[in-house]
């Protein structure tokens, strides 16, 4: 994807699990009703909109989604006593043990994506994430950790390649490994939920959005699902800088420093940790990725955020990610040509860097 082209001032067209079952009918194109619900899970509000079904079918689908989310949240919590929590405790003893089958496929996928991303997506750094205080749903009162503790974890260098899996036999060769699937679990969950809905309920037109990360299938009546890319500097989370018309099967994932953060000395301490430094990644405000596979989109958005404005192109090429939009900390927008062809800017970027293939 080179050379890079700079277009300045472009005038171009961006658990406690609780359920809020807000079943509502929204008018779409006068004729096609759609049903919506909001579910609180994975520390965020999950919004579901389904079209071309009746109210009873919509309710069945919403209940199925809620059940799946509840189950997955328990499975993948890194610090509670569920399957991943137990796997993490056993990892601390560094040895071979039988891991629960319910977490193995996602850990295998996470390991593949960690390797593809040169370990910038590194879910083995659970201890670092916890040290910065992002293991909880609420972290407003956090304070940054001591540098000495960060350096000790960096020295221990936990990586997904410290884990080997043969069937259910799980070997952890580094006692510093704690698996935190926060950077990939939403993607994997959306992929599984949609596959389940297609198979069981023959769902054809649905959009599931988990705090801005989403997967869309089919259409919304006569028109495609339209997705907004949040302005990372706006205080109102509904302010978009651009929109994307989703094609059926698209997974559109954004990693942003605005998602989970606290302030320390007026500086934003956000939740995406650079495994090379042990500190919150610098250089990016947000990264949006489109990919057919939601798990890949989720991991890639996190990895490219860490790579930042100077290294994302190389990593996107390595990971085979075609559609990327990165907003750097100076509010410049960097896009692949393929992504530029898909976005419509609502707000003109300060400057736009386009990467041509
Ligand atoms: P996302 O919003 O998908 O970018 O995921 C961010 C979440 O992933 C954080 O809240 C952490 O739980 C976890 N995380 C933080 N840094 C990394 C990293 N470098 N690689 C993998 N997971 C990470
Ligand atoms: Mg992610």
């Amino acid at each position: 994807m080179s050379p890079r082209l700079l277009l300045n001032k472009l005038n171009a067209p961006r658990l406690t699990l609780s359920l809020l079952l807000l079943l509502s009918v929204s008018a779409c194109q006068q004729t096609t009703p759609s049903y919506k619900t909001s579910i609180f899970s994975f520390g965020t509000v999950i919004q579901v909109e389904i079209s071309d079904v009746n109210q009873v079918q919509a309710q069945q689908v919403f209940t199925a989604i809620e059940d799946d989310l509840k189950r997955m949240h328990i499975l993948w919590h890194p610090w509670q006593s569920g399957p991943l929590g137990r796997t993490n405790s056993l990892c601390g003893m560094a040895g071979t043990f039988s891991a629960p089958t319910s977490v193995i496929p996602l850990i295998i996928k996470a390991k593949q994506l960690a390797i593809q991303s040169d370990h910038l997506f590194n879910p083995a750094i659970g201890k670092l994430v916890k040290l910065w205080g992002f293991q909880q749903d609420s972290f407003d009162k956090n304070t940054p950790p001591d540098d000495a503790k960060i350096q000790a974890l960096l020295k221990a260098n936990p990586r997904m390649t410290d884990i080997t899996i043969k069937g259910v036999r799980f070997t952890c060769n580094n006692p510093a490994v704690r698996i935190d699937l926060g950077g990939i679990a939403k993607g994997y969950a959306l992929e599984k939920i949609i596959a389940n809905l297609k198979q069981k309920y023959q769902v054809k037109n649905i959009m599931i959005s988990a705090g801005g990360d989403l997967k869309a299938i089919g259409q919304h009546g006569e028109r495609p699902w339209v997705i907004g890319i949040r302005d990372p500097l706006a205080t109102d989370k509904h302010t978009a800088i651009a929109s994307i018309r989703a094609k059926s099967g698209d997974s559109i994932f954004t990693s942003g420093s605005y998602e989970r953060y606290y302030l320390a000395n007026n500086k934003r301490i956000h939740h995406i940790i650079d495994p090379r430094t042990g500190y919150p990644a610098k250089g990016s405000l947000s990264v949006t990725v489109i990919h057919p596979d939601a798990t890949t989109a989720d991991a890639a958005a996190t990895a490219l955020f860490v790579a930042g404005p100077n290294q994302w192109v190389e990593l996107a090429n390595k990971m085979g990610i075609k559609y990327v939009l990165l907003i750097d900390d100076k509010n410049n927008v960097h896009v692949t040509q393929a992504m530029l062809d898909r976005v419509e800017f609502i707000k003109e970027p300060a400057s736009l860097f386009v990467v041509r293939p």
Side-chain angles (χ1 to χ4, degrees):
M1 279 189 228
S2 61
R4 309 177 77 190
L5 183 79
L6 167 61
L7 302 176
N8 269 314
K9 297 277 177 200
L10 185 96
N11 286 322
R14 194 206 144 324
L15 206 150
T16 323
L17 184 128
S18 79
L19 171 75
L20 308 166
L21 205 62
L22 305 174
L23 191 64
S24 68
V25 184
S26 77
C28 156
Q29 299 266 332
Q30 284 103 42
T31 51
T32 313
S34 70
Y35 296 88
K36 293 183 190 177
T37 192
S38 301
I39 302 166
F40 187 77
S41 184
F42 285 95
T44 190
V45 178
I46 315 256
Q47 287 173 320
V48 186
E49 189 165 357
I50 184 164
S51 153
D52 282 338
V53 289
N54 63 36
Q55 188 166 346
V56 173
Q57 292 164 325
Q59 185 61 66
Q60 279 176 339
V61 166
F62 295 159
T63 305
I65 295 174
E66 189 210 353
D67 290 348
D68 273 352
L69 286 169
K70 208 185 277 183
R71 192 175 46 79
M72 290 171 181
H73 190 270
I74 295 166
L75 288 181
W76 300 331
H77 199 292
W79 306 110
Q80 289 174 2
S81 60
L84 185 62
R86 283 203 304 278
T87 305
N88 271 336
S89 303
L90 291 166
C91 249
M93 297 174 208
T96 299
F97 54 91
S98 295
T101 48
S102 52
V103 294
I104 288 177
L106 176 49
I107 296 177
I108 291 174
K109 183 93 185 178
K111 181 175 171 181
Q112 286 163 354
L113 286 159
I115 294 167
Q116 278 171 30
S117 76
D118 285 338
H119 303 275
L120 296 191
F121 168 71
N122 181 357
I125 60 165
K127 280 191 166 199
L128 264 174
V129 174
K130 193 176 184 190
L131 193 61
W132 284 95
F134 289 110
Q135 80 282 15
Q136 310 133 328
D137 282 344
S138 144
F139 32 78
D140 315 13
K141 299 199 172 58
N142 286 1
T143 49
D146 288 344
D147 184 61
K149 289 188 178 160
I150 296 170
Q151 298 312 323
L153 283 178
L154 278 186
K155 205 167 160 219
N157 194 21
R159 288 185 167 206
M160 293 305 281
T161 40
D162 293 327
I163 295 168
T164 48
I165 302 172
K166 290 199 179 104
V168 293
R169 300 302 285 161
F170 198 104
T171 305
C172 211
N173 293 310
N174 183 344
V177 168
R178 293 293 180 283
I179 304 165
D180 175 329
L181 299 169
I184 193 175
K186 277 197 266 176
Y188 193 78
L190 291 197
E191 209 56 54
K192 292 284 155 206
I193 288 171
I194 291 210
N196 185 27
L197 295 179
K198 278 182 173 169
Q199 198 209 352
K200 268 201 191 145
Y201 300 97
Q202 290 76 48
V203 167
K204 293 193 177 63
N205 299 290
I206 192 164
M207 182 174 75
I208 309 183
S209 159
D213 296 328
L214 60 95
K215 188 160 181 88
I217 299 293
Q219 299 226 125
H220 186 263
E222 301 302 311
R223 62 170 175 80
W225 299 103
V226 181
I227 281 92
I229 299 178
R230 180 172 162 174
D231 178 349
L233 291 178
T235 42
D236 172 13
K237 63 178 184 186
H238 300 296
T239 306
I241 66 146
S243 66
I244 300 174
R245 285 161 194 274
K247 292 182 185 153
S248 183
D250 274 349
S251 315
I252 307 181
F253 274 67
T254 300
S255 287
S257 58
Y258 51 77
E259 285 176 64
R260 291 156 72 78
Y261 69 91
Y262 53 91
L263 293 174
N265 296 327
N266 282 329
K267 260 184 63 191
R268 194 179 268 202
I269 308 292
H270 67 78
H271 66 142
I272 303 171
I273 310 298
D274 186 333
R276 299 166 296 189
T277 64
Y279 280 75
K282 289 190 175 150
S284 313
L285 294 178
S286 73
V287 175
T288 302
V289 163
I290 311 178
H291 195 274
D293 176 52
T295 320
T296 304
D298 198 352
T302 308
L304 296 170
F305 186 103
V306 175
N310 298 323
Q311 292 170 343
W312 72 271
V313 177
E314 202 185 324
L315 189 61
N317 280 332
K318 182 157 189 280
M319 295 186 78
I321 309 292
K322 197 171 155 199
Y323 300 99
V324 185
L325 185 150
L326 180 149
I327 305 180
D328 71 22
D329 57 3
K330 296 179 185 63
N331 211 18
N332 301 311
V333 175
H334 306 246
V335 274
T336 54
Q337 180 65 53
M339 184 64 126
L340 186 63
D341 295 343
R342 303 254 341 245
V343 293
E344 260 180 61
F345 285 100
I346 297 163
K347 196 171 157 190
E348 191 180 301
S351 53
L352 186 68
F353 298 83
V354 184
V355 178
R356 303 223 189 271

